[in-house]
């Protein structure tokens, strides 16, 4: 069974803290994505990566950075959290062209 | 610009009734279309996908969708819903190249009336 694993299901952080969200896939997929999901806004793409050490900005990259040092791992970094980053974060991976995405279970981040 | 529109934010249907969730897309080339379902607190699961060929595609859990190029639509249907179908449903398009993103609609929340 294919698997995308996110390191945490729930996180509570204080404003200004640094946060790492980790995502690991075991399918040898080239592409990995980070989305945030908010009510009424659907999934909005933060960053994606189509190869190791490669990254592309999505629609809402401000306040986020990413790291992909190994093919199977894609990390989302929030350098200094703010309350407007409270959200559900979803990681996904695909093998390439015209294939479906496989999603992790999501991390619900609350910034207080 | 590529986009996906799901015009219905929230739909309520009675258990056993038929269901149709609407999806319209804007895309420059032949689209690759998907429907995903998200149960509360969970990630997204693929229901079905359309790449080419027969425009009526069958998916899991008794769902089907029809691709209509002339209407730029890819509506999801189920003849008889079950209480367990209550979830959020997302239509998506792409990726059309290996270095491209998947574009999602804003989702439709489905509630089931007993």
């Amino acid at each position: 069974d294919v698997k995308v694993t996110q390191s945490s299901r729930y996180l509570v952080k204080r404003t200004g803290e640094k946060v790492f969200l980790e995502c690991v896939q075991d399918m040898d997929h080239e592409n990995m994505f980070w989305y945030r999901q908010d009510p009424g806004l659907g999934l909005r793409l933060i960053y994606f990566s189509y190869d190791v050490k490669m990254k592309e900005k999505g629609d809402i990259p401000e306040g986020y950075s990413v790291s992909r040092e190994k093919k199977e791992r894609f990390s989302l970094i929030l350098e200094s959290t703010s309350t407007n980053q409270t959200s559900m974060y979803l990681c996904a991976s695909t093998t390439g062209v015209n294939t479906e995405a496989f999603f992790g279970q999501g991390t619900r981040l609350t910034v207080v | 610009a590529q986009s996906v529109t799901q015009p219905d934010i929230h739909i309520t249907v009675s258990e056993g009734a038929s269901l149709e969730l609407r999806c319209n897309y804007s895309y420059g080339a032949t689209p690759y279309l998907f429907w995903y379902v998200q149960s509360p607190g969970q990630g997204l699961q693929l229901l079905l996908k359309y790449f080419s060929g027969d425009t009526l595609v069958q998916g899991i859990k008794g769902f089907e969708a029809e691709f209509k190029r002339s209407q730029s639509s890819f509506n999801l249907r189920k003849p008889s819903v079950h209480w367990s179908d209550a979830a959020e449903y997302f239509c998506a398009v792409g990726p059309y190249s290996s270095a491209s993103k998947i574009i999602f609609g804003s989702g439709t929340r489905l509630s089931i009336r007993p």
Side-chain angles (χ1 to χ4, degrees):
Chain A
D1 243 5
V2 296
K3 204 153 189 180
V4 178
T5 304
Q6 294 183 229
S7 52
S8 305
R9 289 296 302 274
Y10 301 96
L11 280 177
V12 180
K13 296 292 180 180
R14 295 189 185 278
T15 302
E17 287 188 338
K18 188 171 185 176
V19 176
F20 289 88
L21 301 183
E22 301 279 330
C23 176
V24 177
Q25 50 96 1
D26 64 0
M27 298 164 283
D28 201 35
H29 283 176
E30 288 81 10
N31 305 325
M32 296 188 75
F33 305 80
W34 275 107
Y35 292 87
R36 65 175 282 175
Q37 181 182 14
D38 300 288
L41 298 178
L43 277 70
R44 294 181 292 167
L45 182 65
I46 305 171
Y47 268 97
F48 68 103
S49 168
Y50 52 89
D51 201 354
V52 176
K53 297 190 186 294
M54 305 300 288
K55 60 185 179 185
E56 293 282 340
K57 292 181 179 179
D59 300 315
I60 51 164
E62 297 77 20
Y64 304 94
S65 62
V66 291
S67 172
R68 192 162 181 206
E69 296 295 319
K70 294 185 178 182
K71 191 176 185 180
E72 67 271 18
R73 188 180 298 269
F74 191 37
S75 302
L76 181 68
I77 304 156
L78 291 73
E79 291 286 344
S80 177
T81 51
S82 61
T83 54
N84 62 13
Q85 291 178 312
T86 292
S87 187
M88 170 74 96
Y89 291 87
L90 291 164
C91 176
S93 70
T94 72
T95 190
V97 181
N98 310 328
T99 59
E100 71 264 30
F102 293 88
F103 282 84
Q105 293 287 81
T107 297
R108 184 163 296 282
L109 173 66
T110 302
V111 182
V112 298
Chain B
Q2 298 109 26
S3 65
V4 177
T5 302
Q6 293 180 248
D8 304 305
I9 297 172
H10 184 204
I11 285 181
T12 300
V13 300
S14 297
E15 190 167 17
S18 64
L19 171 70
E20 182 168 27
L21 301 182
R22 296 182 291 167
C23 172
N24 292 97
Y25 64 88
S26 173
Y27 211 72
T30 301
Y32 300 92
L33 295 157
F34 308 89
W35 273 100
Y36 288 86
V37 61
Q38 184 183 34
S39 298
Q42 301 297 313
L44 276 69
Q45 180 186 19
L46 181 72
L47 278 177
L48 49 78
K49 60 189 178 187
Y50 172 77
F51 290 159
S52 64
D54 193 345
T55 56
L56 184 64
V57 293
Q58 303 296 321
I60 62 171
K61 306 185 181 188
F63 286 92
E64 66 179 27
E66 186 170 13
F67 170 60
K68 292 185 177 180
R69 186 188 299 275
S70 62
Q71 298 177 19
S72 297
S73 69
F74 188 57
N75 294 348
L76 182 71
R77 300 196 294 247
K78 187 170 184 178
S80 176
V81 298
H82 185 262
W83 64 266
S84 60
D85 293 325
E88 186 139 26
Y89 292 79
F90 293 93
C91 183
V93 63
Y96 61 87
S97 71
S98 60
S100 184
K101 59 186 182 182
I102 309 164
I103 301 167
F104 285 86
S106 55
T108 297
R109 185 161 61 93
L110 175 65
S111 298
I112 306 297
R113 192 184 301 119

